[in-house]
Structures are given as structure tokens and as C-alpha cells.
Amino acid sequence: AQSVSQHNHHVILSEAASLELGCNYSYGGTVNLFWYVQYPGQHLQLLLKYFSGDPLVKGIKGFEAEFIKSKFSFNLRKPSVQWSDTAEYFCAVNTDTGNQFYFGTGTSLTVIP
Amino acid sequence: GAGVSQTPSNKVTEKGKYVELRCDPISGHTALYWYRQSLGQGPEFLIYFQGTGAADDSGLPNDRFFAVRPEGSVSTLKIQRTERGDSAVYLCARKQGRGYTFGSGTRLTVV
């Protein structure tokens, strides 16, 4: 079975700091990669996704992620975080032939004004 | 979430009771998924429906859990003889392209 690892469980940053959240997956075949965000009290929302092509993908709210196939990684980045980015962030993986997503355990981000 | 409605939003039940959690994908997508998100964890797959049938139920933790989708639209997740360890947020999702759209979830608390 596939697995997804998110190395940072809790991250605390001041506003305007840069963000990078790590995500590694274990699967040797072709994967689709996603980052979801869950704001306090809200449902999971898609932040960005990678299927193929340019490994640097841009999502909503200034987030981007880079797929590095050789490292099995899909790290999330944002140059300057805002207080409103406080949320739980989940990396997820599936395959074109698979029926389910595999999620990481999540990273809780707190941005201090 | 837009396009997936889950009811109730919160459910508190006593240990040993039976509960039903409802998911309406609204726009009637063929593929429907149930996930469970325990505290401090990412969502874990439970079951996947293609139309009316359960195409993959490998994630159901035991035979106390069962799900149906009789008309290929609304789905109900049923949990018998609930245990405290069943406390979690139960998420429903529909396939949208190669991604998912999630509902807001049902927070189940077993006391």
C-alpha cells in the first residue's frame, strides 16, 4: 500500500515568514499529488494538485508545490504567510488506477500576527 | 463542501448504540467515498461506491460498519454497537476530475 509522510506535525510562524511543509510518498508508479487545507471548523479544500507536466504547480492563495520525482517529494511552499493561513494542511496521493486517496497525518500551521 | 451535503453535522451517542450518517452528493456523481478522520490523523479510506454497489470496502474496520447507496445517489454509513474508538469525523467525498470534493463531515462522539 502507498503511504504518505508529513514530517512537520506542528509549525508556528510569524506573519510574513516563508513556509515549507514537507511531504514524501512511497509508490514507484505514476502518482497524482494533492495538498488539501482545512481551516478551523471547515471542510477540506483543495489547495493545489499535480498530475503531470511542469513539476512546479501553483495553487490558490499564493501557495505552490514542487514535485521532485527522484525524492518522492511534493513539498508545499509559500513565500510570505498570513494570519489567515492558520490551518491544518494535508498531503495526499492517488494513482490513475486507484480508487482511494492516501493522506498524510497533517501539519498544523499557526501563524502569529 | 460545495456539492456534498452531510447530516448530521454533529452526533453524540452512547456506547453500544446504533448510528446512521448520511451523505448526499447533490449533483449525483457516480463515484462516492467515505473517509474517517480521527483526532490528529489524516483522513483514512473506508469505502468507495460506484453507482449503487460498493466497489471497494477494504477500509471498513470491522463488521460493525456498513454502508449503502440504494439509488446511486445518497449514501448512508451505518455503525452498530458503537464504541468510544469510533469517535471521529466521518467524511464523504465525490470524485471531481482526478480530485475529490469533500463534505463538511459528521463529527461522531461516542460517550
Side-chain angles (χ1 to χ4, degrees):
Chain A
Q2 300 175 39
S3 68
V4 180
S5 299
Q6 291 183 242
H7 317 295
N8 318 100
H9 297 294
H10 300 280
V11 174
I12 301 173
L13 295 172
S14 297
E15 273 194 318
S18 64
L19 170 73
E20 179 158 4
L21 302 182
C23 173
N24 287 89
Y25 64 93
S26 64
Y27 184 70
T30 302
V31 293
N32 302 312
L33 299 156
F34 305 80
W35 276 95
Y36 280 86
V37 60
Q38 190 169 29
Y39 297 104
Q42 296 190 26
H43 61 275
L44 283 164
Q45 299 174 41
L46 181 65
L47 204 52
L48 48 77
K49 57 187 183 245
Y50 172 80
F51 298 145
S52 64
D54 188 345
L56 184 63
V57 292
K58 296 190 184 298
I60 60 172
K61 304 185 181 184
F63 286 91
E64 64 179 32
E66 185 175 13
F67 170 51
I68 303 179
K69 188 174 182 179
S70 61
K71 294 184 178 180
F72 297 89
S73 70
F74 190 55
N75 292 355
L76 181 70
R77 299 195 293 248
K78 186 170 183 178
S80 176
V81 294
Q82 300 173 312
W83 173 79
S84 58
D85 293 326
T86 295
E88 190 90 15
Y89 292 81
F90 294 94
C91 182
V93 172
N94 80 343
T95 67
D96 283 344
T97 56
N99 296 322
Q100 58 174 288
F101 275 23
Y102 296 88
F103 284 85
T105 54
T107 297
S108 174
L109 172 65
T110 301
V111 180
I112 301 169
Chain B
V4 181
S5 173
Q6 290 189 249
T7 54
S9 55
N10 280 284
K11 176 72 177 177
V12 180
T13 190
E14 293 180 346
K15 179 175 176 291
K17 298 289 189 183
Y18 167 82
V19 295
E20 289 189 352
L21 312 178
R22 187 177 186 271
C23 170
D24 183 353
I26 298 178
S27 52
H29 282 64
T30 303
L32 183 145
Y33 302 76
W34 282 98
Y35 280 75
R36 178 169 71 174
Q37 187 175 10
S38 301
L39 192 63
Q41 300 295 320
E44 294 176 305
F45 171 78
L46 294 177
I47 186 170
Y48 153 62
F49 284 91
Q50 186 71 31
T52 60
D56 182 353
D57 64 357
S58 62
L60 294 177
N62 51 60
D63 61 6
R64 295 186 298 105
F65 288 75
F66 190 71
V68 296
R69 196 185 184 200
E71 297 177 359
S73 180
V74 172
S75 176
T76 304
L77 179 65
K78 308 180 181 192
I79 310 174
Q80 298 177 321
R81 305 183 303 280
T82 51
E83 300 177 357
R84 292 197 178 89
D86 298 336
S87 296
V89 176
Y90 289 82
L91 297 167
C92 179
R94 61 174 174 84
K95 203 80 177 291
Q96 185 164 11
R98 280 183 274 186
Y100 282 4
T101 295
F102 283 90
S104 300
T106 295
R107 181 176 298 279
L108 175 66
T109 304
V110 182
V111 297

